[in-house]
């Protein structure tokens, strides 16, 4: 368990997916609404919220418009949720870098609980209980647990039984569970991975949060939606979140809201793009996993999304011989492959952990990225083969024992 103080270093914002070609029909809807002059209501128009209801109902969560809030970005919406819950925040370690930032802006204490060995995305249930207990000993009042059913940074999905135990522990301690389900549709093999929403397990205790940029809209379109429990307590939390968004004075831009409403309806083009992303990310992250583990790093096999999370602690001696003793230095060495050190995700800076992403293989411009989406086997593209070969050589150079010493 660790309580974090405000960090003077620049913190990362909400990680946007890699910039990909914009779908023509979404671009057309945005263009057609460009002349809209009236502002979007705080929390989203009735049309947008109804479309969000359809989106969740297709995923097994019956939802009414009165349970929905939309905002210009997941970090903005998370900030409003933290403000509404009014207490300390508990996060899994590691977790997405943008989970902690809104809490720190509000001056809320942040406590980390380690994830289990099997997967990321949620804290180990016993570690969660201990973290909450120790937070209270420090004088804090934990109110929120954020977890993810399709995790970034680890690219894994917690098993339903483990997830249920973590949610039960959170409910036992009176915590709201905020379930980040942004990447739930990016399963690499849906037939091999069972994914359940905590809102299906504990419907009265869970707020579902979705960053729509993960699958539905372009990376440059900040848009997110949240689903609140259909209870009096859930309605109170939603009202408080809306009050916070009103105070921020940052509604979704009207033209963008029109395009987001279209995307939430999931026309064929959006569904096809999501399926393609899942296929391509699955292929590229599997290649990254093979390359990293062959070099001697420890890494959980990826099952969703576009990232893998590698632990280089077993290679600490040869890395230290080259002056690499913390995640900042490891990030710098692996920067061409979209590396981000574990310190961005709640890990200690001295831990030799790093996240690598498919964006480091897809190419530097939209044309190359589009080519990866249009090719049946993206691993056969020359620029992707070159990037993987260069990564393999760099890892070999970094981890080869110096002067014949032990690795």
């Amino acid at each position: 368990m660790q309580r974090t103080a405000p960090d003077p270093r620049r913190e990362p914002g909400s990680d946007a997916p890699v910039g990909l070609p914009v779908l023509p029909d979404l671009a057309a809807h945005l263009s057609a609404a460009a002349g809209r002059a009236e502002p979007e209501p705080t929390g989203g128009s009735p049309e947008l919220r109804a479309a969000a209801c359809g989106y969740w109902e297709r995923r097994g969560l019956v939802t009414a418009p009165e349970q929905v809030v939309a905002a210009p970005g997941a970090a903005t919406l998370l900030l409003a949720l933290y403000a509404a819950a009014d207490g300390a925040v508990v996060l899994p370690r590691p977790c997405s870098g943008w989970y902690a930032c809104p809490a720190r802006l509000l001056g809320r204490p942040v406590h980390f609980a380690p994830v289990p060995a099997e997967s990321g995305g949620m804290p180990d249930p016993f570690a969660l209980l201990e973290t909450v207990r120790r937070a209270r000993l420090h004088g804090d009042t934990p109110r929120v647990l954020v977890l993810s059913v399709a995790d970034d940074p680890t690219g894994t999905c917690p098993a339903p039984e483990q997830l249920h135990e973590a949610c039960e522990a959170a409910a036992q301690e009176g915590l709201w569970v905020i379930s980040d389900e942004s990447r739930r549709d990016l399963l690499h093999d849906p037939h091999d991975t069972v994914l359940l929403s905590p809102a299906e397990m504990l419907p009265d205790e869970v707020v579902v949060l979705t960053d729509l940029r993960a699958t539905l809209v372009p990376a440059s379109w900040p848009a997110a939606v949240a689903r609140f429990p259909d209870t009096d307590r859930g309605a109170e939390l939603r009202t408080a979140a809306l009050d916070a968004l009103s105070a921020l004075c940052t509604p979704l831009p009207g033209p963008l809201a029109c395009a987001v409403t279209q995307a939430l309806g999931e026309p064929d083009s959006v569904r096809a793009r999501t399926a393609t992303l899942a296929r391509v990310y699955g292929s590229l992250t599997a290649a990254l996993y093979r390359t990293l583990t062959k070099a001697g790093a420890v890494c959980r096999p990826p099952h969703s999304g576009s990232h893998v999370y590698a632990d280089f602690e077993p290679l600490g001696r040869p890395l230290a011989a080259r002056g690499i003793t913390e995640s900042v230095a490891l990030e710098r060495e692996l920067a061409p492959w979209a590396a981000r050190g574990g310190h961005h995700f709640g890990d200690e800076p001295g831990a030799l952990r790093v996240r690598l992403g498919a964006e480091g293989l897809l190419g530097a411009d939209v044309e190359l990225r589009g080519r990866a989406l249009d090719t049946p086997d993206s691993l056969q593209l020359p620029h992707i083969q070159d990037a993987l070969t260069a990564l393999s050589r760099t890892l070999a150079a970094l981890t080869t024992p110096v002067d014949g010493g032990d690795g």
Side-chain angles (χ1 to χ4, degrees):
M1 187 279 288
Q2 177 189 356
R3 177 178 175 176
T4 62
D7 193 333
R9 296 172 299 183
R10 182 178 181 273
E11 290 286 351
S14 176
D15 282 342
V18 65
L20 297 168
V22 178
L23 291 171
D25 58 337
L26 293 185
H29 272 81
L30 182 64
S31 177
R36 174 180 166 179
E38 66 274 14
E40 183 77 359
T42 299
S45 66
E47 294 80 11
L48 190 155
R49 290 185 284 115
C53 292
Y55 169 87
W56 275 308
E57 286 170 8
R58 289 189 292 276
R59 288 152 181 82
L61 295 175
V62 175
T63 307
E66 294 74 23
Q67 293 174 253
V68 178
V69 167
T76 300
L77 191 44
L78 190 58
L79 184 144
L81 286 167
Y82 288 163
D86 192 22
V89 175
V90 180
L91 303 177
R93 172 188 283 132
C95 66
S96 289
W98 58 276
Y99 290 175
C101 300
R104 289 174 178 145
L105 285 172
L106 292 167
R108 304 286 194 265
V110 178
H111 299 268
F112 287 97
V115 301
E118 294 82 1
S119 73
M122 61 163 209
D124 175 88
F126 294 104
L128 171 61
L129 293 173
E130 177 63 11
T131 298
V132 171
R133 184 187 72 82
R134 295 180 65 180
R136 289 173 177 153
L137 287 176
H138 280 89
D140 295 334
T141 305
R143 298 288 191 194
V144 175
L145 167 67
V146 183
L147 50 76
S148 177
V149 297
D151 183 45
D152 167 63
T154 65
T156 60
C157 300
E161 57 272 16
Q162 287 184 311
L163 185 64
H164 190 270
E165 290 177 4
C167 291
E168 288 279 8
Q172 173 185 323
E173 298 299 326
L175 306 183
W176 281 110
V177 174
I178 299 177
S179 176
D180 176 11
E181 302 187 8
S182 304
R183 293 168 174 79
R184 65 168 294 156
D185 295 329
L186 295 178
L187 300 182
H188 302 160
D189 185 354
H191 302 291
D192 186 52
T193 305
V194 178
L195 188 151
L196 291 177
S197 170
E200 298 178 70
M201 304 173 180
L202 296 174
D204 295 348
E205 315 292 339
V206 178
V207 178
V208 178
L209 174 66
T210 301
D211 184 346
L212 300 180
R213 298 176 307 164
T215 54
L216 295 189
V217 302
S220 59
W221 295 9
V225 290
R227 177 192 183 273
F228 291 77
D230 186 18
T231 63
D232 291 343
R233 185 165 171 257
E236 291 174 2
L237 186 70
R238 180 180 181 271
T239 297
L242 283 171
D243 289 343
L245 289 172
S246 295
L248 291 171
C249 298
T250 54
L252 273 170
L256 179 59
C258 292
V260 168
T261 300
Q262 170 70 10
L264 282 166
E266 296 183 285
D268 290 344
S269 62
V270 171
R271 289 174 177 269
R273 169 61 65 84
T274 301
T276 298
L277 285 177
R279 173 180 58 79
V280 172
Y281 287 162
S283 178
L284 297 185
T285 55
L288 285 171
Y289 171 78
R290 291 191 295 268
T291 303
L292 289 162
T293 54
K294 184 177 180 180
V298 176
C299 187
R300 294 179 180 88
H303 295 285
S304 69
S306 57
H307 296 116
V308 294
Y309 198 67
D311 186 347
F312 282 80
E313 291 292 340
L315 300 163
R317 180 173 293 184
L319 289 173
R322 291 168 174 81
I324 303 170
T325 58
E326 57 182 14
S327 60
V328 174
L330 192 57
E331 173 184 279
R332 184 169 56 247
E333 295 290 341
L334 300 177
W337 297 277
R340 298 192 75 181
H343 58 286
H344 292 298
F345 309 109
D347 263 330
E348 295 289 347
L352 290 169
R353 301 188 184 104
V354 67
R355 186 193 74 176
L356 297 179
E359 60 266 34
L361 304 176
L362 282 171
D365 56 56
V366 173
E367 180 183 354
L368 286 177
R369 297 166 196 160
R371 198 178 305 168
L373 298 182
D374 295 336
T375 303
D377 185 359
S378 56
L379 289 177
Q380 298 304 311
L381 291 172
H383 72 279
I384 291 179
Q385 290 183 346
D386 290 345
L388 286 168
T389 299
L391 173 60
S392 182
R393 289 173 177 167
T394 297
L395 292 173
L398 292 175
T399 59
T400 300
V402 177
D403 297 330
D406 292 336

